[in-house]
Amino acid sequence: MRRFCPGAEIVLVGNGVTSNARHVADTYIPLAGNIGVAGGWNLAALEATRPYLCFLNDDAVFVDDEPPRRLSRRHEPAPSRSVFESGEA
């Protein structure tokens, strides 16, 4: 992630396991037991300090750089669209 999003904050939850990847994390939360995927995500969300979150499981693999490049772009709201064409309302 750091390669594509240099300013990203990485929060890693060791959900009942010891992670060899903890050195890449800004925050590492070791857990003695497995609290499940949702529990780990909720714990990470509580620790995160950035306004946007992206959750990845330990088996996530990017086959190209498009997903992280999209994450690194500035968030822009989608353009709003009217349900009715002009004069139909």
Side-chain angles (χ1 to χ4, degrees):
M1 282 305 293
R2 291 211 196 281
R3 187 173 104 197
F4 303 106
C5 307
E9 173 189 21
I10 298 176
V11 178
L12 180 63
V13 177
N15 206 354
V17 297
T18 301
S19 174
N20 293 329
R22 73 171 104 194
H23 66 279
V24 302
D26 297 306
T27 303
Y28 177 69
I29 306 165
L31 298 176
N34 188 328
I35 61 172
V37 173
W41 288 351
N42 284 328
L43 188 56
L46 289 172
E47 293 294 321
T49 62
R50 303 290 167 86
Y52 300 105
L53 301 173
C54 173
F55 296 101
L56 297 174
N57 288 341
D58 58 350
D59 59 353
V61 176
F62 294 122
V63 294
D64 61 34
D65 67 351
E66 184 57 24
R69 281 192 314 109
R70 287 184 183 184
L71 292 172
S72 68
R73 292 184 192 137
R74 184 178 174 163
H75 174 72
E76 296 179 13
S80 62
R81 293 193 167 152
S82 173
V83 176
F84 301 102
E85 293 291 328
S86 177
E88 290 184 18

